[in-house]
Amino acid sequence: MLAPAFTSRSRNSQIVVASGTRLATIQGSARSILTAERVALNFLPHLSGVATLTRRYVKELQDTGCKLLDTRKTTPGMRALEKAAVKAGGGSNHRMGLFDAILIKENHILSAGNIRTAVEEARFHSPGFPVEIEVENLDQLQEAIDAGVDRVLLDN
């Protein structure tokens, strides 16, 4: 049985844990503890690191009006855990997968002829879904804004 330690939330929903705080107490048979300890000892620092690095970036963005979003490109089998760690660090979850929004990339823009047409086609074929677009330069960014996309991703 794993008993979580007390944590507090700061003003922006980050989970703050003081250095030296006991994070968990484990009870059980020696066999079950030894079976699970390696997994637990790998999860804990990895997820803590994700939360800590997220918190550092969130602090850098403070007072800019920007929101730090995570990626759906996570470690296989750990998406929900890593996304929870991002939220714990004060970041925001972006997408869980390819099923919850439309993403327009360079090849879609080329196929449609321009950004506005690509956005219009996406909204026509998938009404109600958020439309995101990946842009490569400031001109494309302005086109995307003018086309009314919901989110913009910066390519390279």
Side-chain angles (χ1 to χ4, degrees), residues 75-145:
T75 306
M78 292 186 58
R79 182 166 294 166
L81 292 170
E82 290 176 347
K83 285 184 165 287
V86 167
K87 284 196 75 85
S92 298
N93 295 148
H94 176 216
R95 297 174 63 181
M96 285 304 285
L98 294 174
F99 57 84
D100 51 8
I102 305 300
L103 176 58
I104 299 172
K105 297 180 69 74
E106 177 185 24
N107 55 338
H108 303 118
I109 297 167
L110 291 172
S111 176
N114 59 59
I115 288 175
R116 178 169 298 283
T117 303
V119 171
E120 289 171 354
E121 288 289 320
R123 292 207 189 279
F124 175 78
H125 291 290
S126 299
F129 275 83
V131 176
E132 303 175 348
I133 190 163
E134 190 173 72
V135 299
E136 297 177 354
N137 56 53
L138 292 175
D139 290 335
Q140 284 188 341
L141 174 61
Q142 189 59 58
E143 286 181 65
I145 292 168

Side-chain angles (χ1 to χ4, degrees), residues 21-132:
T21 300
R22 179 184 300 176
L23 296 179
T25 301
I26 301 172
Q27 296 177 325
S29 69
R31 181 182 185 107
S32 64
I33 290 172
L34 292 173
T35 299
E37 80 168 320
R38 282 293 124 201
V39 174
L41 290 175
N42 286 318
F43 274 161
L44 192 58
H46 173 70
L47 297 173
S48 294
V50 170
T52 299
L53 186 58
T54 299
R55 183 172 183 220
R56 186 178 310 151
Y57 289 144
V58 166
K59 279 181 83 170
E60 289 292 323
L61 292 172
Q62 189 173 340
D63 300 324
T64 67
C66 291
K67 182 190 281 190
L68 182 68
L69 301 175
D70 62 14
T71 178
R72 64 177 175 76
K73 297 174 183 173
T74 55
T75 306
M78 292 186 58
R79 182 166 294 166
L81 292 170
E82 290 176 347
K83 285 184 165 287
V86 167
K87 284 196 75 85
S92 298
N93 295 148
H94 176 216
R95 297 174 63 181
M96 285 304 285
L98 294 174
F99 57 84
D100 51 8
I102 305 300
L103 176 58
I104 299 172
K105 297 180 69 74
E106 177 185 24
N107 55 338
H108 303 118
I109 297 167
L110 291 172
S111 176
N114 59 59
I115 288 175
R116 178 169 298 283
T117 303
V119 171
E120 289 171 354
E121 288 289 320
R123 292 207 189 279
F124 175 78
H125 291 290
S126 299
F129 275 83
V131 176
E132 303 175 348

